[in-house]
Amino acid sequence: MSKAISKSQLKVITKAINKHYPSSYADSSWDNTGLLIDCSKNENVTTEVKKPLVLLTVDLTSSVAQEAIERDCNVILAYHPFIFPSWKNLNPSRNSQHDSAIKLIQQGISVYCPHTAVDAAKDGVNDWLSHGLVAHERTMIASSESIESIKDKPINGEDSTEVGYGRLVKLASPLTLKQVIKNVKNSLGIDHLQVASHYEPANHSIKTIALCAGSGSGVFRSLREDVDLYYTGELSHHEILKYKEMGKSVIICNHSNTERGYLREQMCHILKSEGVDCIVSENDKDPLNVV
């Protein structure tokens, strides 16, 4: 039986998503966001699903697509673009994503991808990362301002202190790098991360942090202020070396580890408050393991 919902039902869901993560915030110069698969039906040709169910995931892998089918979901909200880069044809025998797309369409499951809109939004993933820096500490965040887009201009004319693809965090009082590492592990729910620093973590005082979920490379290049620590999911070898040689510390956690917890701890609750019934994928995991 098709899991397709009516156009009006899908509109309610996408309206709730855009309320908190406006599509205008996404970086359209390269990102592929929005409703990437629309399987909704006209009201006069389908029986409305009583309560549409949305599955939240960072990556829409083949196992997540199968999970959506087995858990009777009607919509998938995939943080990362599912169609990226844009496809010119479908060949399921060579590309598992193509195979998943065909299966989802056959099942009537729509797919929405917000990506950089979630990065930029107030109370989005980067603000969540900011709060994780000082979890359970007496130290408070003195200020947190957005780092502008790669284009180095306000997003859609919004207040540049609240909307941007990264965050510049200033602590009210310093923490040691050792304590920041502990807080990051706790907030992300991971056992291991990578650190580059000239200093012993117990001795390096941290007051200012530049952070960016996923890959911080382009965002950090637009930073105009001096910082003690760069915190992100991934950077290139040469970027890490450059920051270390400058006397800065770097924390790297693997790309999607900086994003996944936000879906569970924030996004799911935000959407439920808007009346959207949603669950978080059990099969969505970072592709890299420490062995």
Side-chain angles (χ1 to χ4, degrees), residues 107-266:
Q107 291 287 328
I109 300 175
S110 299
V111 178
Y112 189 99
C113 300
H115 201 202
T116 47
V118 180
D119 296 348
K122 181 181 179 181
D123 297 326
V125 65
N126 282 308
D127 285 326
W128 174 74
L129 287 177
S130 298
H131 295 306
L133 291 168
V134 294
H136 310 300
E137 293 296 325
R138 291 182 179 180
T139 295
M140 300 296 291
I141 293 175
S143 66
S144 178
E145 296 184 359
S146 71
I147 302 174
E148 292 300 339
S149 69
I150 296 170
K151 299 174 184 176
D152 199 24
K153 65 180 181 181
I155 300 170
N156 198 34
E158 295 288 348
D159 182 350
S160 62
T161 64
E162 295 187 340
V163 178
Y165 299 126
R167 294 292 184 268
L168 173 63
V169 178
K170 298 179 181 180
L171 303 180
S173 57
L175 290 174
T176 65
L177 178 59
K178 180 179 180 180
Q179 188 60 58
V180 173
I181 290 170
K182 179 181 177 182
N183 291 345
V184 167
K185 286 182 177 181
N186 288 338
S187 67
L188 300 186
I190 57 176
D191 295 324
H192 302 91
L193 48 73
Q194 293 179 295
V195 178
S197 180
H198 276 303
Y199 313 99
E200 287 295 324
N203 299 328
H204 189 195
S205 179
I206 302 295
K207 186 75 178 286
T208 57
I209 303 112
L211 63 85
C212 178
S215 176
S217 179
V219 170
F220 292 159
R221 280 199 297 269
S222 67
L223 187 63
R224 297 290 183 265
E225 295 194 40
D226 192 30
V227 300
D228 302 314
L229 172 66
Y230 292 88
Y231 167 32
T232 188
E234 62 177 314
L235 287 172
S236 74
H237 168 80
H238 296 288
E239 287 169 323
I240 295 170
L241 192 62
K242 178 187 74 173
Y243 291 137
K244 183 178 179 181
E245 290 294 295
M246 291 169 60
K248 314 303 178 184
S249 293
V250 178
I251 292 179
I252 302 294
C253 305
N254 284 353
H255 190 111
S256 67
N257 282 340
T258 58
E259 303 158 337
R260 187 164 290 102
Y262 177 74
L263 273 63
R264 179 182 62 256
E265 296 183 14
Q266 297 288 329

Side-chain angles (χ1 to χ4, degrees), residues 20 96 124 240:
H20 295 274
S96 63
I240 295 170

